[in-house]
Amino acid sequence: MNKLKQNPVFSALLALFILLFIGGIVYFFMLQEEVDKQKKAVKSAESQLNAALSLQPAPTQANLDAAKANVEALTKALEARVDSTYGNKPDMLKVEAPTNGTQMLFQLRAYSNEFAQVAKRTIPVEFTDEQIEKKKAAGEPIPSTSIPENFAFGFSRYIDSGKPPADSDVAIINQQKEILTYILRKLFNTRPKGIVSISRAPVEVTSLMEAPQQTGNRRTPNTASDGMKKDEFRIGVETAAVEGAVETLPFKIVFTGYTENLRSFLKQIEEFEVPLVVRAVEVVPLESSVSSTASTTKTDQQDIFSLFGGVPEKEETEESAEPEREPIVAENVSEFTVVLEYISVDLTKDEASSNQAMLDGEEAY
């Protein structure tokens, strides 16, 4: 201590170095804490980058450019499709219609007979080729899509009565027939279990073309007093029709089958070969196509062999293995109701652009 007092300069320097050393240690730990934070941030950024690069497609600049080009191409295709709807009709509707009601009635009968035969030839989707071959080998009847007896496919008003439509209605009825022909072909492509009903909008009854009565925000449904047949209906407020600009023809298709049938049918409609828009879809599950068995004691009715007149199952012994069980969960057969509208734009493109400009001007005002 005396030496420190005798050398004040040395003592001051020593004290300064000690303070600097302590300050350096403190600063080191402060920097170390900051480094740890930066390391965690880098690891987080790396994990986010790896996650982004693992996406398919990865959000690289090349993929972004490709996506942008795809969007531009789809936009142009959509614009071309919209332009083609102005005042135009699909090729199938450009076919010349019959000249009178009698010819139209003959065509409706031919249309009904054609699809009745198609139904007989259509095997429901639940049957595999192997099952069909076994049925053929056993001499059993081949299953087909079921339809109601004397089914008119939407035109019972004429086919059942044998009364031809008025000459003034022939053009629109022919158009409905051609559209239903397209719809039914797409439906039979899905191999449904059965067709329950095919309905169209009536064009023959004057009272049906008038505006329906309204109660609040709902429209009063049609009744038998309206003169409608069982396969005629009128669409409600969900219609896309616009007076003087857009005309529509609604159709209602009710069929039974599986989700696969509905999905395939809607996918075909969405191809937009014909300007058809799905307005409503309703699904009502029916009985399960595969029943479950949980009991180990079988009666004649529970035994699948007894149900089909086969050889009864042998009695089980105490040493027999646990009986096999059928699947408990199976997809249900459902009834699907699909409401479609055929859309026809009466305006030309120039008229539509003019109307849109007027609307834009009113909004600006």
Side-chain angles (χ1 to χ4, degrees):
M1 183 64 67
N2 291 331
K3 291 183 178 180
L4 293 176
K5 290 181 179 180
Q6 293 175 359
N7 300 281
V9 176
F10 174 77
S11 299
L13 290 174
L14 181 61
L16 178 62
F17 289 147
I18 292 174
L19 291 175
L20 289 173
F21 177 73
I22 294 173
I25 293 175
V26 172
Y27 185 66
F28 171 79
F29 282 108
M30 291 176 62
L31 288 178
Q32 187 64 35
E33 183 178 358
E34 186 65 25
V35 169
D36 292 339
K37 290 182 180 180
Q38 294 298 328
K39 285 182 178 180
K40 290 180 180 179
V42 170
K43 287 183 179 179
S44 177
E46 287 179 348
S47 62
Q48 291 178 5
L49 176 60
N50 293 332
L53 293 176
S54 65
L55 296 175
Q56 294 296 333
T60 61
Q61 187 61 44
N63 287 337
L64 291 175
D65 293 340
K68 184 178 179 181
N70 189 35
V71 170
E72 292 176 352
L74 290 174
T75 300
K76 291 180 180 179
L78 177 59
E79 291 175 352
R81 180 61 61 87
V82 171
D83 291 345
S84 67
T85 61
Y86 290 112
N88 293 329
K89 294 181 179 180
D91 291 338
M92 70 176 190
L93 298 181
K94 294 179 181 178
V95 178
E96 187 176 353
T99 57
N100 56 62
T102 302
Q103 292 181 3
M104 187 74 255
L105 178 59
F106 289 149
Q107 288 197 16
L108 291 178
R109 285 175 174 169
Y111 150 87
S112 177
N113 292 334
E114 175 189 353
F115 283 107
Q117 294 302 316
V118 172
K120 289 182 180 180
R121 297 193 303 266
T122 301
I123 300 173
V125 71
E126 69 235 49
F127 294 97
T128 63
D129 293 340
E130 182 180 356
Q131 290 174 319
I132 297 302
E133 291 301 323
K134 288 182 178 179
K135 287 182 178 294
K136 289 180 179 179
E140 298 177 2
I142 305 301
S144 62
T145 297
S146 63
I147 58 174
E149 187 177 0
N150 299 322
F151 196 39
F153 291 92
F155 294 96
S156 65
R157 176 178 293 275
Y158 310 111
I159 296 176
D160 291 353
S161 66
K163 181 180 179 180
D167 293 349
S168 58
D169 296 329
V170 166
I172 188 67
I173 293 173
N174 182 70
Q175 191 174 13
Q176 288 181 325
K177 177 183 72 71
E178 294 298 328
I179 296 170
L180 277 176
T181 297
Y182 173 85
I183 294 173
L184 286 171
R185 285 173 179 167
K186 298 301 182 183
L187 179 58
F188 278 114
N189 285 344
T190 72
R191 298 165 57 191
K193 189 175 185 66
I195 297 179
V196 179
S197 66
I198 304 293
S199 303
R200 64 185 177 89
V203 297
E204 304 81 2
V205 183
T206 304
S207 61
L208 297 179
M209 304 307 293
E210 297 173 354
Q213 296 178 357
Q214 295 189 6
T215 304
N217 292 327
R218 295 186 177 181
R219 294 190 176 193
T220 304
N222 297 97
T223 62
S225 60
D226 291 323
M228 293 178 66
K229 298 296 183 180
K230 59 185 178 182
D231 55 1
E232 296 173 343
F233 88 111
R234 181 171 56 198
I235 196 168
V237 294
E238 65 269 21
T239 181
V242 177
E243 185 176 358
V246 179
E247 292 184 356
T248 65
L249 291 175
F251 303 91
K252 182 165 65 176
I253 315 298
V254 183
F255 64 96
T256 58
Y258 300 89
T259 306
E260 175 185 351
N261 297 112
L262 177 64
R263 185 185 299 113
S264 177
F265 178 58
L266 295 180
K267 185 177 180 180
Q268 292 179 86
I269 296 299
E270 289 175 357
E271 292 175 358
F272 213 73
E273 297 172 331
V274 172
L276 282 168
V277 178
V278 178
R279 307 306 299 177
V281 176
E282 181 181 352
V283 181
V284 179
L286 303 179
E287 292 184 3
S288 176
S289 59
V290 178
S291 60
S292 62
T293 57
S295 173
T296 58
T297 303
K298 296 184 179 181
T299 65
D300 287 343
Q301 290 183 344
Q302 291 173 327
D303 190 347
I304 191 170
F305 297 103
S306 298
L307 281 174
F308 293 94
V311 179
E313 187 179 31
K314 294 182 179 180
E315 294 183 357
E316 297 178 351
T317 63
E318 293 182 357
E319 297 179 357
S320 62
E322 184 178 351
E324 296 181 357
R325 300 183 182 182
E326 297 178 9
I328 294 179
V329 179
E331 183 182 6
N332 288 346
V333 176
S334 299
E335 182 178 277
F336 305 103
T337 301
V338 181
V339 177
L340 304 164
E341 268 194 308
Y342 171 81
I343 296 179
S344 175
V345 181
D346 293 337
L347 298 176
T348 64
K349 184 176 180 181
D350 292 338
E351 290 173 335
S353 301
S354 177
N355 289 349
Q356 184 62 45
M358 292 176 63
L359 292 175
D360 294 341
E362 291 177 359
E363 291 178 357
Y365 179 76

